[in-house]
Amino acid sequence: MIDAYEDPGTPDVRGGWRYLWWLVRCQPGRSVAGALLGSSWMVLLAATPYLMAKAIDEGLEPGDWGALAGWSFALFAVGSFNAWLSIMRHRTMTRVRMDANFRTVKVVVGQAVRLGAALSRRTGAGEVVTIGVGDVQTIAGALTVVGPGVGACVAYLTVAALLVSVSAVLAAVVLLGIPAIVVLVGPFLSRLQGTETEYRNRQGVLTARIADLAGGLRVLNGLGGKSLVADAFHRDSQRLRAQGYRVGAVTSWVQALGVGLPTLFLAVVTWLAARLAAEGDITVGELVAVYGYVAVLVGPVAFWVECGYQLSRGVVAARRVVRFLRLEPMEDRGTRDAPAEPSVLHDPESGVSLLPGRMTALASAHPADTAAVLDRLARYTPSRATWGGVPLDEIRLPQIREHILLADHEADLFAGNLRDVIAPHRGAGLCRSAAPPRGATSHDELAAALHAAVADDIAQALPNGLDSPMDAQARNLSGGQRQRIRLTRALLADPEILLAVEPTSALDAHTEALVAKRLRAAREGRTTAVTTTSPLVLDHADTVLYLVDGKLAASGTHQRLLTEEPGYRALVARDVEVAQ
């Protein structure tokens, strides 16, 4: 199977069928072995009735006990060998499916990493979760066709050839009857694809809603909106359940026909063979052989129907994976290098300029306006922003990510121990953008970042300190603690330019004052911008930029703006009516 650190290859994203074929081509030796073992196993199943016919016609009927013993031993030997083939076939096909499973997981995770911050803008979290939870397993199951599917075709042709030597009529019935069964099941498989696609889409939407509810349940409860959202979720889940019943109805017909039609076919062929034996056209041994051949054919036909069912679901899942893999990250047409020395970041749309080596605070009555400014300055949205006079769009994106870090106060926190949540490896995956890895984080660096973010008490209060386990999104911490952990990650990355969105919004006044003081000291001499309306933070900024309707209205120190700008004074005094 694919190694955890092995390159999974470049997937074929031209369609669902092509993606499944790519998974087969990625393991040609194992796929060929599965097909050969599956074919040999099914063909030898057909050898059993042939040997039984010989034992009856050449041993039992004439009374030749030596011949009977010989054919019986051959029957035992073939059965034992076929049992071993069955074990090897199963092992090989398990490896085929697991390789497809892990390979798909790797390409999906790799695509998620490649999309980076664009992921949330390109698709919903529910879509990715649905792919990882359900579609990956479905795709792996579809590769069953590589072994039993090919073996069923070979066994079908082999049995047909054996029947020709017994009776041309029986051979014709088998050759025409089996394809007729497949044709009858075909429309149900097509319908299954349609219902399965709709079900998967609804499931993705509902999964995204579950994630949103889990993240905002406490807020909804506080606002009294929990029951309203719960009712909406109940209606959506009922619709999903109804769609699931439709998928189940089609699936039940497919599975019923896969078992019932071959059995009915077996009865027809057995009746014809019995008539031929009664009329003396075939021997008793041949009658037994015909019954065995047709009984063996029930297996291949059932495999065909099962493979059709798995392929129908697999193609639906593969199309969802392909649709995700086709998503493109933020367009990067930059060809120029980043400024060699600290330079001014400027956003013409708002008039905001961040001077190098200074701590700048952006204040507005509408937090979304200041957050949008930082998005443009970090090149997360198209803009005319410049860095050192050079348009950001013309600078290579990796270099922007290396020097400019946008620290969102709602950035994701992954499950793991606190040490790994803060510093999995320095500079890698810290916030919405980060510098490339710079090596392992020392204890002193980690302690300094925790102290600057006033988060050292969090580690001290936990039972195992930095080795204490954290839930996804650190839900076992309070909102203020999570915010300080996020700030710790940002400070540990030590970027040239740090853009922090509301880094203290969930903190109490005492902790907020400490964070503002220590943040200033920790970032001394480097460019830092924070969005806030807290006077405790604003008072520590070198420059405060006051925005009205997304445009720069005034700039200066916190004290000067308090004296000269009534709107600013009303804003930071939390007088919303005057500020508006």
Side-chain angles (χ1 to χ4, degrees), residues 29-333:
R30 197 178 292 125
S31 298
V32 170
L36 289 175
L37 289 170
S39 300
S40 302
W41 171 65
M42 285 198 173
V43 167
L44 286 181
L45 287 177
T48 300
Y50 173 80
L51 294 174
M52 289 181 62
K54 288 294 185 180
I56 293 173
D57 289 341
E58 299 182 9
L60 184 61
E61 189 173 356
D64 188 343
W65 299 110
L68 179 61
W71 287 114
S72 298
F73 177 78
L75 187 62
F76 172 79
V78 169
S80 300
F81 180 68
N82 213 25
W84 177 81
L85 280 180
S86 178
I87 294 172
M88 300 306 297
R89 173 194 64 84
H90 183 77
R91 288 182 177 178
T92 303
M93 290 311 305
T94 298
R95 291 189 176 97
V96 169
R97 290 191 294 270
M98 295 305 293
D99 184 278
N101 188 317
F102 295 144
R103 197 175 297 273
T104 299
V105 168
K106 291 198 69 173
V107 297
V108 168
V109 171
Q111 173 70 349
V113 173
R114 174 173 170 262
L115 290 174
L119 177 61
S120 58
R121 294 181 171 94
R122 299 288 193 270
T123 187
E127 181 76 6
V128 182
V129 171
T130 303
I131 289 173
V133 173
D135 292 335
V136 170
Q137 297 290 341
T138 303
I139 289 171
L143 294 196
T144 301
V145 71
V146 173
V150 173
C153 294
V154 174
Y156 169 68
L157 295 175
T158 302
V159 170
L162 291 172
L163 283 174
V164 169
S165 63
V166 177
S167 170
V169 174
L170 291 175
V173 170
V174 171
L175 287 172
L176 296 176
I178 299 298
I181 292 175
V182 176
V183 169
L184 287 173
V185 178
F188 288 94
L189 297 178
S190 299
R191 185 180 174 188
L192 178 63
Q193 285 193 32
T195 55
E196 183 82 15
T197 299
E198 184 178 353
Y199 177 78
R200 289 293 186 184
N201 292 335
R202 287 181 180 272
Q203 189 179 42
V205 172
L206 199 62
T207 304
R209 191 158 297 173
I210 291 173
D212 294 339
L213 283 174
L217 191 59
R218 186 176 301 175
V219 176
L220 288 171
N221 193 33
L223 296 174
K226 186 170 67 173
S227 60
L228 181 64
V229 176
D231 290 341
F233 182 82
H234 176 73
R235 290 192 297 271
D236 290 340
S237 62
Q238 291 301 311
R239 283 194 287 268
L240 179 64
R241 185 182 66 173
Q243 183 64 25
Y245 285 155
R246 285 192 284 273
V247 173
V250 179
T251 301
S252 64
W253 274 104
V254 171
Q255 294 178 342
L257 291 174
V259 176
L261 287 178
T263 304
L264 180 62
F265 176 72
L266 172 63
V268 172
V269 175
T270 303
W271 180 78
L272 287 174
R275 289 292 302 273
L276 292 173
E279 294 172 358
D281 294 333
I282 61 175
T283 66
V284 174
E286 289 174 333
L287 173 62
V288 174
V290 168
Y291 178 82
Y293 293 150
V294 179
V296 168
L297 278 180
V298 173
V301 175
F303 271 121
W304 277 344
V305 175
E306 177 66 19
C307 289
Y309 168 70
Q310 294 288 356
L311 281 175
S312 296
R313 300 181 70 239
V315 169
V316 171
R319 287 171 181 164
R320 291 170 58 86
V321 171
V322 165
R323 187 165 61 243
F324 177 71
L325 295 179
R326 284 177 177 172
L327 299 177
E328 290 297 328
M330 295 178 181
E331 188 176 14
D332 181 18
R333 295 181 179 177

Side-chain angles (χ1 to χ4, degrees), residues 379-445:
R379 197 177 147 185
Y380 280 103
T381 55
S383 70
R384 295 180 290 113
T386 61
W387 186 14
V390 179
L392 276 179
D393 289 342
E394 296 182 8
I395 300 175
R396 294 182 179 90
L397 187 58
Q399 293 197 20
I400 294 176
R401 297 290 179 261
E402 180 180 351
H403 296 281
I404 302 176
L405 171 61
L406 179 59
D408 196 328
H409 68 298
E410 294 183 348
D412 289 325
L413 296 170
F414 298 103
N417 63 53
L418 182 58
R419 188 189 307 276
D420 290 339
V421 169
I422 295 174
H425 46 85
R426 185 174 177 177
L430 297 175
C431 292
R432 287 179 59 184
S433 64
R438 301 175 186 170
T441 302
S442 69
H443 176 76
D444 291 342
E445 290 174 323

Side-chain angles (χ1 to χ4, degrees), residues 12 84-85 122 188 194 283 318 337 345 360 426 428 485 492 502 514:
D12 192 334
W84 177 81
L85 280 180
R122 299 288 193 270
F188 288 94
T283 66
D337 291 331
L345 261 180
T360 305
R426 185 174 177 177
I485 290 299
L492 196 60
E502 300 286 347
L514 279 177

